[in-house]
Amino acid sequence: MPYRITHRNLPQLFLKAREALMAHFRPVLNHFGVTEQQWRILRALDEHGQLEPRELCELCQILSPSMAGVLSRMEELGLVERQRVATDARRVLVLLGEKGDRLIDEIAPLIQQQYRLMEEAWGKRVVDDLTDALEGFIAAQATEVPQVELPKKP
């Protein structure tokens, strides 16, 4: 029997690739008691300074209801701080807390080292090609793709 779908399953490949990559970083995060979501937030704040929660949701790919809970827990732990915007009290900015800043100082060299080990094992070109392919795919999303026409419901 021939396959019904001839294209490779890109979403499944993305999930496998993500899991394969995270397997190299997860031991570092686990050692420091940081969840993957928390690390994405810490890294985004380290790269961008202060961000609004909606910006963090976008950058970190975390849904807003989850983000609220994660930020509350991180604030309790001293990893982040939330500050109201002086000119608009409805807006809140999230920034690294003192503990979050220290944690990044501890984790960042290990993450950098892990990237170097991956490049040594697979070749820097493989890591660069993957990065370029993913960035290219994300950039291509600016081009609208028509949606297949769905059949009418009976």
Side-chain angles (χ1 to χ4, degrees), residues 7 19 36 42 59 66 75 87 94 96 108 115 120 147:
H7 283 85
E19 189 54 37
E36 292 175 35
L42 290 170
L59 284 169
S66 295
E75 191 172 31
T87 57
V94 181
L96 284 175
Y115 273 111
E120 287 173 17
Q147 183 65 45

Side-chain angles (χ1 to χ4, degrees), residues 6-77:
T6 58
H7 283 85
R8 294 188 307 188
N9 188 339
L10 285 177
Q12 187 67 32
L13 288 173
F14 273 118
L15 290 171
K16 280 184 172 184
R18 181 193 185 283
E19 189 54 37
L21 282 169
M22 283 310 299
H24 296 281
F25 298 105
R26 207 171 276 126
V28 175
L29 301 180
N30 289 343
H31 178 79
F32 289 93
V34 177
T35 68
E36 292 175 35
Q37 287 183 327
Q38 289 172 337
W39 177 247
R40 292 197 310 261
I41 292 167
L42 290 170
R43 184 155 178 181
L45 293 173
D46 186 53
E47 290 175 14
H48 297 276
Q50 53 190 26
L51 294 165
E52 292 186 44
R54 66 174 174 72
E55 295 171 311
L56 277 171
C57 288
E58 173 82 18
L59 284 169
C60 300
Q61 296 297 293
I62 300 172
L63 297 175
S64 184
S66 295
M67 180 64 77
V70 173
L71 287 178
S72 290
R73 176 79 176 122
M74 290 178 77
E75 191 172 31
E76 288 171 11
L77 295 170

